[in-house]
Amino acid sequence: MLTLGIDIGSTTAKCAVLEDGRDFRAVSLRDSGVGTDGPQAAFEGVLAELGVSRRDIDCVCATGYGRAAWQDADLRASELTCHCLGGVYVFPGLRTLIDIGGQDAKVISIDAGGSMAEFVMNDKCAAGTGRFLDVMAALLRCPVDSFAEAAARSKSPASISNTCTVFAESEVISQLAAGAAVEDVIAGVCRSVATRVGSLARRLDMREPVCMSGGVARNAAVREALSEYLQVPVLFDERAQLFGAMGAAIYAAKRKSKE
Amino acid sequence: MEVREILDVFRAADPAALKEKYLAEGRKIVLTAPVYTPEEIIHSMGLVPMGVWGADVLLKRSKRYFPAFICSVVQSIVELGMRGTYDGASAIVIPSLCDSLKVVGQNWKYAVPGIPFIPMTYPQNRASEAGRAFTKAGYLRVIRDLEAATGAKFSAQALADSIKIYNEHNALMRRFGREAGKYLSAADRSAVFKSAFFMPKEEHAALVKKLLAALEGEKPLSGPSVVTTGILADSPAILAKLDELGLRIAADDVAAESRQYRTDAPETGDPLDALAAKFAGMGCCSVLLDPEKRRADLIVDSVRETGASGVLALQTEFCDPEEFDYVIIKKACAAAGIPLLAVEVDRQMANFGQAETMLEAFSERLG
């Protein structure tokens, strides 16, 4: 049995194909999300990699911001449920998952049985999300992918106290005008995201092990700042950005096996 | 009448059309603002009380009277007043039950000068003898102002009669609140509660009675259910999502719904004292002082009694009283092992994507 999960986010589209509810056979990721050709490209990409067609897939589950718009889905599930399933698949025994995506942040508390027990999401603003990092990257003229490397060179991280993206932008400009080094400002920006999302995590009964998922998980500076803020190790896997798609494939497999 | 036919009457209770109908009949309308106003007094004087809880409208003109961080319910009431939506009403009664409501009364006088503002000032300590006397003094002020604004006259006997009508309606609404979750969608349930603010009480009560009788032959719905709590639960998008997910509302602790009907006024003695006694006996509400915060226990008990799967807190943005209570409710639910989801709502919501995702995840969690 092959099940396919497609996670259509605000900035990326991801797919994962699972065989018999156990082993992932192929994954794909495109850097364009809802409203673009990214989801179709990711979908076709994962099928091509596996050498199969849509007819060979027993069940497709869509998740993410664009899940409702994906017409070729047999099922739909929230990204919270899917990230939880993906996280537990990669880290068995996982109790807390912190997902920072392109436009929102979520913290999921997971029970001992691997099911979602509770969750919180960010407020309706860009603070503490990938969008916040994108805005800062444009301002600092440094790609987000280089943030971790730049932050590692920081000797004295700048203090970015504003959580509002617009105000933080002004604060960054003020820091640069005052002569702060770019790497110190980048480290400060990463800490700002970690503080914002970390405070969200503290609203829950946070238990270890803790892991990160979503695109921002690739940023080691944010991970380290989050670990420091929460005073717990934050686990990371190279597939962190795919947890949603993987979880959707697992969700589909579970539903199919119940039929 | 069939259930659907009756529900269609509730759903068709359009406040703008009803307002025009009452005015065409030569009746005088008095607007009643959240959260509790002495509707019985207005009714007893032959006036038509119509609830104003704002609407999902873009705030433009009212912004000159408010800072950004204030409840959009009161802002939208003033917005509608300034737009002329309430034109023709003879007065508005605004109680002093939260900081925002205190502000809106003063702003109303300048923002909507054509509709006289009548304050209803309640005491914090409502149960003591002094508290009841204070409440009664507030009612006397309302009566005086209503007489001046409308020319209608107050009589104790008419109030006693109105109290009976309202008590009967309260009992029916309490029964409806218990039965609705078994048979009705969230949107249909909401329509019945909402229409009670616009339809004459006698008419609404008769229709609710018919509905309850018709529901007896209906097949109960299956699937998980929740107990809702908050100030308002009338967002069409949220209700549609609940219905799409098959999440029933088993019971509610919503200010614009069941909280209105929990307490009756005694039907003996001086009717104004009886109304003050009613207010003294009210509780389990964020805007009514309760040092013991029994509201959290009431919610937990509602979940247990109805067999609901969880609690859905619809938090009106910038509503301080509700935010203070939320912490206590959250702890009580956690202690009782009851899943709880808080979704922030306001009268300005245009994008429901995040709220829908949260509701979907909560539904998946409840199974």
Side-chain angles (χ1 to χ4, degrees):
Chain A
M1 176 180 66
L2 292 177
T3 56
L4 187 151
I6 178 164
D7 178 5
I8 305 170
S10 59
T11 56
T12 57
K14 290 83 61 177
C15 285
V17 176
L18 182 69
E19 186 174 32
D20 296 334
R22 286 193 306 271
D23 303 312
F24 280 95
R25 296 275 309 276
V27 296
S28 64
L29 189 153
R30 295 292 182 276
D31 284 328
S32 47
V34 64
T36 71
D37 60 359
Q40 190 62 36
F43 187 72
E44 287 169 5
V46 80
L47 294 179
E49 186 186 330
L50 209 51
V52 298
S53 71
R54 172 66 179 90
R55 288 192 304 277
D56 300 313
I57 305 294
D58 295 280
C59 186
V60 173
C61 177
T63 188
Y65 188 61
R67 64 188 176 281
W70 186 254
Q71 297 298 315
D72 199 11
D74 300 303
L75 290 173
R76 288 180 180 82
S78 72
E79 51 265 47
L80 288 128
T81 294
C82 294
H83 274 268
C84 176
L85 289 169
V88 171
Y89 177 88
V90 173
F91 298 112
L94 185 71
R95 298 303 298 271
T96 304
L97 182 139
I98 299 171
D99 167 45
I100 309 182
Q103 67 168 17
D104 64 17
K106 317 168 192 79
V107 183
I108 303 167
S109 175
I110 301 163
D111 66 23
S115 298
M116 179 165 59
E118 204 179 351
F119 63 86
V120 283
M121 288 179 78
N122 65 318
D123 295 332
K124 292 167 274 188
C125 76
T129 71
R131 181 67 190 149
F132 179 85
L133 291 172
D134 289 341
V135 169
M136 296 306 155
L139 186 67
L140 293 161
R141 299 189 177 207
C142 172
V144 174
D145 288 345
S146 304
F147 267 27
E149 189 189 334
R153 293 196 303 272
S154 168
K155 291 188 174 60
S156 174
S159 169
I160 308 294
S161 56
N162 272 299
T163 50
C164 167
T165 307
V166 176
F167 291 140
E169 202 172 351
S170 304
E171 204 175 350
V172 164
I173 292 167
S174 300
Q175 291 275 8
L176 293 172
V182 170
E183 55 265 32
D184 288 339
V185 175
I186 288 173
V189 164
C190 292
R191 284 188 176 202
S192 169
V193 171
T195 305
R196 176 81 177 180
V197 180
S199 61
L200 204 62
R202 284 185 169 169
R203 286 199 220 161
L204 296 179
D205 178 23
M206 200 188 69
R207 295 184 187 200
E208 294 182 60
V210 178
C211 87
M212 265 189 85
S213 70
V216 176
R218 291 178 303 161
N219 187 323
V222 173
R223 289 201 312 269
E224 283 161 19
L226 195 55
S227 176
E228 189 182 322
Y229 180 81
L230 294 172
Q231 294 288 292
V232 294
V234 174
L235 304 174
F236 171 68
D237 185 276
E238 288 295 336
R239 295 166 288 179
Q241 203 170 358
L242 294 161
F243 280 8
M246 292 166 70
I250 295 168
Y251 187 85
K254 285 182 180 229
R255 289 290 289 269
K256 283 301 281 184
S257 63
K258 275 185 188 172
E259 285 176 3
Chain B
M1 284 170 91
E2 297 290 321
V3 170
R4 179 44 54 195
E5 286 176 86
I6 302 170
L7 289 170
D8 285 344
V9 179
F10 288 117
R11 279 178 170 264
D14 172 53
L18 285 171
K19 184 194 79 168
E20 294 307 321
K21 176 177 170 279
Y22 301 141
L23 292 175
E25 291 168 356
R27 304 177 73 181
K28 290 188 174 168
I29 295 165
V30 175
L31 309 174
T32 57
V35 180
Y36 305 109
T37 46
E39 268 198 43
E40 292 92 332
I41 291 174
I42 298 164
H43 181 273
S44 74
M45 293 172 73
L47 308 164
V48 183
M50 290 190 80
V52 286
W53 291 67
D56 297 341
V57 292
L58 187 63
L59 302 175
K60 285 183 181 171
R61 300 172 70 177
S62 61
K63 285 195 169 180
R64 81 166 91 153
Y65 290 101
F66 298 104
F69 299 100
I70 195 165
C71 148
S72 59
V73 177
V74 298
Q75 285 197 72
S76 67
I77 293 171
V78 174
E79 178 75 26
L80 293 172
M82 295 178 80
R83 286 187 189 186
T85 305
Y86 304 138
D87 283 1
S90 299
I92 182 169
V93 179
I94 303 176
S96 60
L97 287 166
C98 72
D99 289 348
S100 302
L101 285 166
K102 286 171 194 161
V103 169
V104 81
Q106 294 308 313
N107 286 331
W108 184 273
K109 289 190 280 192
Y110 297 94
V112 195
I115 301 176
F117 158 56
I118 299 176
M120 175 58 218
T121 309
Y122 287 110
Q124 286 285 329
N125 295 290
R126 60 196 178 281
S128 67
E129 195 180 328
R132 289 176 192 227
F134 192 101
T135 304
K136 187 176 178 181
Y139 292 151
L140 288 168
R141 159 79 190 265
V142 169
I143 291 167
R144 198 172 65 237
D145 286 358
L146 282 174
E147 287 182 335
T150 66
K153 292 293 167 203
F154 173 79
S155 98
Q157 183 54 52
L159 178 57
D161 294 342
S162 291
I163 283 174
K164 282 182 187 161
I165 291 167
Y166 271 72
N167 282 352
E168 188 189 352
H169 183 254
N170 288 349
L172 284 163
M173 292 305 284
R174 288 194 291 265
R175 206 178 128 209
F176 171 75
R178 289 192 297 272
E179 297 298 313
K182 297 176 196 164
Y183 304 103
L184 299 183
S185 69
D188 284 336
R189 185 183 185 280
S190 170
V192 176
F193 276 109
K194 197 163 182 172
S195 57
F197 286 116
F198 315 132
M199 290 170 69
K201 281 291 170 292
E202 301 88 331
E203 204 177 296
H204 196 263
L207 206 56
V208 172
K209 200 181 273 185
K210 274 187 193 170
L211 177 62
L212 287 168
L215 286 176
E216 282 174 13
E218 290 290 299
K219 189 180 164 197
L221 300 169
S222 58
S225 62
V226 292
V227 170
T228 49
T229 182
I231 295 292
L232 286 167
D234 66 351
S235 160
I238 299 279
L239 294 170
K241 192 67 193 177
L242 289 174
D243 289 338
E244 181 196 317
L245 295 169
L247 268 182
R248 293 175 292 116
I249 298 176
D252 79 84
D253 163 54
V254 172
E257 297 182 358
S258 291
R259 280 192 223 169
Q260 296 291 320
Y261 308 108
R262 283 181 189 152
T263 314
D264 291 341
E267 295 184 13
T268 54
D270 175 74
L272 277 179
D273 286 334
L275 270 193
K278 174 186 173 182
F279 185 66
M282 290 167 71
C284 296
C285 175
S286 54
V287 298
L288 298 175
L289 178 69
D290 179 9
E292 294 170 26
K293 287 293 176 194
R294 289 164 297 172
R295 178 184 171 200
D297 297 332
L298 180 136
I299 292 168
V300 168
D301 290 346
S302 287
V303 171
R304 286 178 175 151
E305 283 163 16
T306 58
S309 308
V311 172
L312 173 61
L314 294 165
Q315 286 188 294
T316 297
E317 194 176 27
F318 307 129
C319 178
D320 296 345
E322 285 288 310
E323 284 174 7
F324 293 140
D325 275 10
Y326 175 71
V327 180
I328 297 158
I329 294 166
K330 187 173 190 288
K331 285 180 180 170
C333 287
I338 297 168
L340 166 72
L341 174 69
V343 176
E344 198 172 64
V345 291
D346 68 49
R347 287 294 200 198
Q348 290 276 280
M349 268 174 99
N351 186 342
F352 288 85
Q354 194 182 43
E356 287 177 350
T357 294
M358 292 168 85
L359 287 169
E360 274 182 43
F362 192 57
S363 170
E364 287 157 3
R365 184 188 165 201
L366 297 179

